[in-house]
């Protein structure tokens, strides 16, 4: 069983910095998503990882608190990115320095967006939106949706699954 509705989830890198330009940071997000699916916590229908933000369409499994899973996902990915920055790019890590009671560095902006997708029409609109994100004029990360690797577009358009954790929304 799953929670009532899939969620459209968006989170942005602190101060909109383009930290996710590096594939190794995108791969941290991919591995975390793969783990959440493998552990049967979530079903992922679509995603895109952009240079400074991510969009997901996911649905929590029964008994999983969406806000807790989102918090844990962001905390874990931030921690892994921070470890890499500390070891390999300490000068970049300084851009994420904050003076807060509970942390010295912040990777993700506070208050990610999470919207329930209560209809198939809205679901398809959001899926189309995330797949078109990389080809927007302001990004130009690819010429076609399926050319951008860090997205579920190739899965839907070419039936090619490079990630092994996406579930087609028609298979629910």
């Amino acid at each position: 069983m799953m929670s009532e509705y899939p969620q459209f989830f968006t989170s942005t890198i602190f101060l909109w910095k383009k930290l996710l330009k590096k594939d190794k940071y995108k791969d941290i997000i991919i591995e975390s998503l793969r783990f959440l699916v493998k552990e049967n916590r979530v079903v992922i229908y679509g995603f895109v990882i952009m240079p400074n933000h991510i969009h997901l369409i996911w649905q929590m499994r029964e008994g999983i608190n969406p806000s807790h899973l989102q918090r844990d996902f962001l905390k874990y990915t931030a921690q892994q990115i921070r470890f890499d920055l500390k070891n390999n790019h300490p000068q970049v890590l300084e851009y994420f320095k904050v003076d807060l009671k509970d942390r010295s560095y912040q990777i993700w902006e506070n208050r990610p967006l999470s919207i329930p997708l209560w209809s198939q029409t809205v679901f398809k609109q959001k899926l189309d939106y995330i797949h078109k994100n990389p080809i927007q004029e302001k990004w130009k990360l690819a010429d076609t949706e399926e050319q951008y690797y860090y997205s579920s577009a190739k899965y839907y358009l070419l039936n090619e699954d490079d990630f092994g954790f996406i579930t087609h929304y028609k298979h629910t």
Side-chain angles (χ1 to χ4, degrees):
M1 292 293 294
M2 285 191 270
S3 60
E4 194 171 359
Y5 297 112
Q7 303 283 314
F8 174 73
F9 177 79
T10 298
S11 192
T12 305
I13 295 295
F14 187 62
L15 301 175
W16 291 78
K17 301 264 184 216
K18 293 181 180 174
L19 181 63
L20 300 176
K21 280 179 84 169
K22 287 187 174 284
D23 287 352
K24 66 179 174 177
Y25 300 137
K26 290 190 281 278
D27 290 338
I28 287 170
I29 293 167
I30 293 294
E31 288 308 313
S32 184
L33 294 174
R34 188 173 283 126
F35 172 82
L36 292 171
V37 169
K38 184 176 174 240
E39 292 295 308
N40 214 21
R41 296 182 193 176
V42 69
V43 173
I44 298 173
Y45 300 110
F47 76 95
V48 67
I49 304 172
M50 299 295 289
N52 64 2
H53 66 284
I54 61 171
H55 295 298
L56 306 172
I57 297 177
W58 60 3
Q59 190 168 11
M60 307 308 140
R61 295 285 188 173
E62 183 87 14
I64 301 295
N65 181 315
S67 61
H68 291 175
L69 186 126
Q70 292 167 11
R71 176 201 64 208
D72 294 348
F73 167 73
L74 293 175
K75 184 177 178 179
Y76 175 79
T77 54
Q79 192 176 52
Q80 296 305 305
I81 291 169
R82 189 172 39 87
F83 289 154
D84 183 82
L85 288 172
K86 184 179 179 188
N87 292 331
N88 300 305
H89 311 283
Q91 70 286 2
V92 175
L93 182 59
E94 290 307 304
Y95 290 113
F96 298 93
K97 193 159 187 55
V98 292
D99 187 20
L100 298 172
K101 278 186 250 175
D102 65 339
R103 72 188 75 140
S104 302
Y105 298 95
Q106 184 164 339
I107 301 298
W108 296 104
E109 286 282 351
N110 290 328
R111 296 185 195 89
L113 175 69
S114 189
I115 301 169
L117 301 177
W118 43 268
S119 79
Q120 196 73 292
T121 302
V122 175
F123 184 104
K124 287 180 187 169
Q125 285 172 346
K126 292 298 184 191
L127 189 63
D128 191 46
Y129 170 78
I130 67 175
H131 290 161
K132 289 190 180 327
N133 219 246
I135 63 170
Q136 287 180 4
E137 192 60 41
K138 75 182 227 175
W139 293 110
K140 267 309 193 192
L141 300 174
D143 292 325
T144 64
E145 296 168 36
E146 63 273 15
Q147 283 179 339
Y148 186 67
Y149 182 73
Y150 289 95
S151 163
S152 53
K154 196 168 158 183
Y155 174 79
Y156 283 98
L157 298 171
L158 301 178
N159 200 28
E160 293 179 24
D161 186 358
D162 291 335
F163 303 102
F165 60 74
I166 306 165
T167 297
H168 198 292
Y169 70 91
K170 290 183 179 176
H171 298 161
T172 58

